[in-house]
Amino acid sequence: MPLSRKTPDKQIAKLSINISSMPKEAIDEIWFRAGIIYKDPEDNNALPDNVIMQIKKSESTAYPIVEKLCLEKGKATVEKLADQVERLDYIGNAGISRKILSRKTFTNLSSETITKKELADMAKRIRNLPEKKIDELWASLGFIYTNKGNNKAMSNTTIRLIKKSKENAEYETLSFFDETHINDIIKELQRIQNSIKKNSPKKS
């Protein structure tokens, strides 16, 4: 791990404080979605428990780990990582963040923007898919979780959360959009919907 700057960066320091106050599951998810995955994550998606504990221990122990994340992300700005932290702040049985979903527009890591209505419409289409097809959609675009069980991309628990409520579906769709080109999502979603329609028994 690289040595921290002699003078701490104020933005990274603030980010370190915010991250260290989050549930362990959310901290792990930040590294996972950033694509920084340790070789030995144990039962987590990206970080070993001892690293998470270092992050949660104090601001001073969290800072060099968060700084390393910012440096390794390269093109991703601290502001974008901070936005990811805000979006993930609901994880750990804290409920859906209504503040995030109340935004009028959303911008992903590729600087693509969609409106609240576009997000809601896409989430509705995804929620209406059979459970296996939701998993197929995520897998087809390479958005694959470590803890996916016997599925292709995501756990049954996550899929059922999407099916359970409009808000859950919108949040998971937003997370998906964060790291995926919107045209790729729409294209694959349409392909899967067409496949379902084609294979449905015709009404007599």
Side-chain angles (χ1 to χ4, degrees):
M1 187 171 294
L3 294 174
S4 297
R5 300 180 182 92
K6 291 183 178 178
T7 303
D9 182 284
K10 290 182 179 179
Q11 286 182 306
I12 297 178
K14 182 178 179 181
L15 191 60
S16 299
I17 295 171
N18 291 339
I19 290 176
S20 64
S21 67
M22 296 172 73
K24 291 193 295 183
E25 296 88 347
I27 293 172
D28 181 60
E29 191 74 2
I30 291 166
W31 266 254
F32 176 73
R33 294 186 183 182
I36 309 298
I37 300 173
Y38 283 55
K39 292 181 180 178
D40 184 23
E42 299 171 1
D43 293 328
N44 302 319
N45 282 322
L47 294 175
D49 285 337
N50 67 313
V51 175
I52 295 176
M53 293 309 295
Q54 284 294 104
I55 293 170
K56 290 194 68 64
K57 184 178 179 181
S58 69
E59 178 190 345
S60 61
T61 55
Y63 183 90
I65 302 172
V66 175
E67 182 187 44
K68 183 174 185 287
L69 170 67
C70 294
L71 292 173
E72 290 190 1
K73 279 302 293 177
K75 293 181 180 179
T77 64
V78 175
E79 288 83 1
K80 284 183 178 179
L81 285 170
D83 188 56
Q84 292 291 305
V85 171
E86 185 181 352
R87 290 183 185 187
L88 285 167
D89 204 22
Y90 85 98
I91 294 180
N93 299 318
I96 290 294
S97 174
R98 294 179 184 275
K99 180 180 178 182
I100 296 299
L101 293 178
S102 67
R103 293 180 181 178
K104 293 182 180 179
T105 61
F106 306 92
T107 303
N108 67 10
L109 294 177
S110 298
S111 298
E112 298 174 325
T113 299
I114 60 174
T115 64
K116 167 66 176 177
K117 184 180 185 304
E118 289 172 326
L119 173 68
D121 289 346
M122 186 162 54
K124 182 179 180 181
R125 290 172 66 185
I126 291 172
R127 189 182 175 203
N128 286 336
L129 295 174
E131 291 187 4
K132 294 284 187 183
K133 294 298 181 180
I134 294 174
D135 181 53
E136 180 182 328
L137 175 62
W138 260 247
S140 68
L141 291 170
F143 204 95
I144 300 172
Y145 291 85
T146 301
N147 298 332
K148 59 186 175 61
N150 295 321
N151 295 330
K152 295 178 180 178
M154 62 199 333
S155 69
N156 289 328
T157 300
T158 303
I159 295 171
R160 286 164 189 163
L161 280 173
I162 292 173
K163 299 287 286 183
K164 184 178 180 181
S165 76
K166 172 178 173 287
E167 288 178 330
N168 287 347
E170 288 182 6
Y171 194 92
E172 290 301 329
T173 301
L174 177 59
S175 298
F176 191 27
F177 165 69
D178 275 341
E179 299 184 35
T180 313
H181 289 295
I182 183 62
N183 287 339
D184 291 340
I185 297 176
I186 297 299
K187 181 180 177 181
E188 280 301 298
L189 180 55
Q190 190 61 58
R191 178 188 67 78
I192 290 173
Q193 286 180 318
N194 289 342
S195 174
I196 293 171
K197 186 175 181 181
K198 181 180 180 181
N199 294 320
S200 295
K202 295 182 179 180
K203 296 181 179 179
S204 55

